[in-house]
Amino acid sequence: MSTENDVVVTGLGATTPLGGDVTSTWQALLDGRSGVGLLDADWLDKFELPVRIAAQLAVEPTEVLARVEARRMDRCEQVAMVAARQAWADAGLAGDEPQVEPERLAVVVGTGIGGAMTMLQQDDLLETVGLRKVSPLTVPMLMPNGPAAWVGLDLGSRGGVHAPVSACASGAEALAWAWRMLRAGEVDVVVAGGAEACITALPLAGFAQARTMSTRNDEPEKASRPFDAARDGFVLGEGAGIMVLERAEFAKARGARIHGRLAGVGTSADAYHITGPEPEGKGAARAITAALRTAGLTPQDVGHVNAHATSTPVGDVAEAAAIRSAVGDHPVVTAPKSALGHLLGAAGAVEAIATLLAVRDGVVPPTLNLDNLDPAVQLDVVAGEARRVELTAAVNDSFGFGGHNVALAFTPA
Amino acid sequence: MSNEDILKELKAIVEEVAGVDPEEVTEEKSFVDDLDVDSLSMVEIAVQAEDKFGVKIPDDQLANLKTVGDAVTYIATNK
């Protein structure tokens, strides 16, 4: 049953390690392909990094954007623009006739780290060449609101441009923020999601020193193995995912094609540790429960959970406990980071798109490298190949360093 | 280097930094009003011009270079 307060998804855009758009990424997920590979960079040997693998973009953003626009943007801003323009076009909003008043259009795009590559490159220039070679675009390229700001400029959004920063929950938090704006009736359309691109020496070094990353360098495609007993950490990825969300009434009035509904959102915080999850997943469970409550769904309605599961030994088990306590052991679970790697602030948005497509198409992609399910997980995790399943509702989890938890509940159109 | 050569090199710099068609970059054009070059790109153009022509363009001088012709004259006079 729909009401005028419903929030519908009318546009999808993405650029990921599996493909330069949503269609190719979704197909690769269903086919069980991995986006992880060996890095080729001189700094791997220079700094003796223990991690030599990552999930790099399938399509370089500079192949899609105009040269001059690309040179004014950090890589995380470039991927946000690529995904946002796809989503805008997919929603049927890219035509010459404007369909949304600029004052009724908002943008919410989160990032975990922001323009880290610009920060590092410009610092190198300052140190080695001096002030005059530092780009006047340094600040707009490194600021974490940069991806949101560029998308807002490009689409002419005057209803508000926001950039939630909650580490690896940023992309999902952006979607939750969008849902709240739409439910409050503040605007008619929100372009929302996440962007990240920081595959370079310092972030890899920092994550490696925190002992959070897989060092399975000799088997890159097997390195990301959420829920598997032999998992040893996450694999860093890059990319962006963007959704166009609208008030159902507005979308209906303009005759928009509807992919599905963002039926409810839940956010919570652990207040436990700066990086480690609360081991029983209590905070995560509260976020899931809140998402179901706002959506008007019961745990039994949830047929599928798209897990955050990054392939770290501690995190995956805590999340499994959260899913069992908030939903039960009946949902069909998948862990897309097994194929995509961990897109940090973009992860929640890209995986929300996969969750919505699972509901729309009635199929759940497999979790790669699940050879021996960790006995502590106790969930029905899809392995081997994609599984057909009719879905009434599905939940997408996202968590971030800092104890941020976000859950999103999707239902069919 | 003739004024014509300076203009040719300047066109290349403006195209590289701001993506302006070299055909548009003529002496009477204003960087800001006609070519849509913003203040951030002007800084980049100045740094590249300094390197290319071996001139110094201090900020107070840069502010006076309204048109492409102003820049060509400044470079020709000061290099």
Side-chain angles (χ1 to χ4, degrees):
Chain A
M1 190 183 69
S2 68
T3 71
E4 63 182 37
N5 246 345
D6 276 4
V7 173
V8 297
V9 181
T10 57
L12 302 173
T15 183
T16 76
L18 293 175
D21 58 19
V22 170
T23 304
S24 55
T25 297
W26 180 233
Q27 193 58 52
L29 279 171
L30 293 176
D31 293 345
R33 291 206 292 275
S34 170
V36 181
L38 274 174
L39 281 167
D40 176 19
D42 55 3
W43 40 258
L44 293 167
D45 288 331
K46 182 180 172 192
F47 300 125
E48 298 176 9
L49 290 181
V51 176
R52 308 176 70 90
I53 52 177
Q56 296 174 280
L57 285 173
V59 176
E60 280 297 308
T62 47
E63 291 174 21
V64 183
L65 300 171
R67 181 190 64 82
V68 168
E69 98 186 320
R71 77 185 290 283
R72 292 169 73 89
M73 296 175 189
D74 181 86
R75 189 172 173 86
C76 74
E77 298 171 338
Q78 293 174 355
V79 292
M81 285 287 272
V82 170
R85 284 179 180 162
Q86 288 174 9
W88 191 245
D90 185 49
L93 292 166
D96 291 336
E97 282 296 306
Q99 297 182 56
V100 194
E101 285 177 50
E103 292 76 16
R104 299 289 296 169
L105 169 67
V107 167
V108 190
V109 179
T111 178
I113 295 191
M117 290 175 128
T118 293
M119 173 84 88
L120 293 162
Q121 286 159 359
Q122 295 300 320
D123 185 62
D124 281 349
L125 285 172
L126 180 61
E127 299 270 0
T128 57
V129 191
L131 173 67
R132 59 188 298 280
K133 284 294 178 182
V134 172
S135 170
L137 289 150
T138 299
V139 173
M141 287 171 75
L142 70 81
M143 63 191 192
N145 58 315
W150 275 117
V151 171
L153 265 175
D154 194 52
L155 303 181
S157 158
R158 299 205 170 107
V161 173
H162 310 281
V165 174
S166 46
C168 307
S170 302
E173 183 144 29
L175 296 169
W177 192 328
W179 184 88
R180 288 170 178 154
M181 290 186 84
L182 290 163
R183 287 286 286 233
E186 291 178 34
V187 290
D188 294 321
V189 178
V190 185
V191 176
E196 202 79 74
C198 65
I199 300 176
T200 190
L202 185 69
L204 276 172
F207 283 123
Q209 283 297 85
R211 305 296 191 266
T212 56
M213 302 197 76
S214 172
T215 54
R216 199 182 287 258
N217 298 315
D218 51 344
E219 297 178 294
E221 297 193 350
K222 295 188 186 307
S224 186
R225 40 198 317 122
F227 298 130
D228 185 80
R231 67 192 183 278
D232 71 328
F234 78 85
V235 174
L236 186 59
E238 59 180 350
I242 300 281
M243 285 185 171
V244 175
L245 301 126
E246 307 185 33
R247 293 194 307 111
E249 192 183 30
F250 184 84
K252 192 178 164 193
R254 72 177 188 90
R257 180 266 334 266
I258 292 168
H259 290 293
R261 289 163 196 276
L262 177 53
V265 308
T267 53
S268 72
D270 279 356
Y272 174 80
H273 185 269
I274 193 65
T275 58
E278 193 281 317
E280 293 174 41
K282 288 178 190 162
R286 277 189 293 109
I288 296 170
T289 299
L292 298 184
R293 187 177 64 242
T294 55
L297 294 166
T298 67
Q300 280 308 316
D301 293 327
V302 179
H304 166 46
V305 176
N306 183 306
H308 182 71
T310 62
S311 183
T312 60
V314 179
D316 292 11
V317 171
E319 181 177 11
I323 294 169
R324 289 196 310 271
S325 76
V327 184
D329 59 9
H330 61 274
V332 175
V333 177
T334 196
K337 288 184 183 73
S338 59
L340 287 161
H342 192 348
L343 273 55
L344 305 184
V350 170
E351 293 165 14
I353 291 171
T355 311
L356 178 74
L357 292 177
V359 172
R360 188 192 71 182
D361 297 351
V363 60
V364 174
T367 301
L368 309 191
N369 305 316
L370 189 54
D371 298 333
N372 294 293
L373 184 68
D374 183 330
V377 171
Q378 297 171 43
L379 288 168
D380 179 10
V381 185
V382 181
E385 57 186 35
R387 194 189 299 177
R388 286 268 154 207
V389 48
E390 288 297 311
L391 295 169
T392 312
V395 167
N396 171 227
D397 290 346
S398 293
F399 316 123
F401 274 10
H404 313 276
N405 307 303
V406 180
L408 307 170
F410 291 96
T411 57
Chain B
M1 193 181 255
S2 69
N3 280 18
E4 203 173 296
D5 292 335
I6 292 170
L7 179 60
K8 194 178 157 204
E9 297 290 350
L10 200 55
K11 282 172 184 267
I13 292 171
V14 175
E15 185 190 24
E16 154 69 18
V17 171
V20 180
D21 181 350
E23 297 268 306
E24 296 289 313
V25 183
T26 49
E27 299 220 16
E28 75 283 3
K29 295 278 178 67
S30 156
F31 286 107
V32 175
D33 298 333
D34 298 325
L35 303 179
D36 206 21
V37 174
D38 70 11
S39 61
L40 302 176
S41 291
M42 277 306 290
V43 175
E44 282 194 271
I45 289 167
V47 170
Q48 290 202 16
E50 286 183 337
D51 290 349
K52 186 85 206 173
F53 302 110
V55 291
K56 285 264 177 241
I57 310 178
D59 282 359
D60 55 347
Q61 295 296 327
L62 181 61
N64 295 329
L65 306 182
K66 305 288 187 201
T67 65
V68 174
D70 294 341
V72 171
T73 306
Y74 179 86
I75 290 162
T77 312
N78 291 277
K79 78 186 174 67

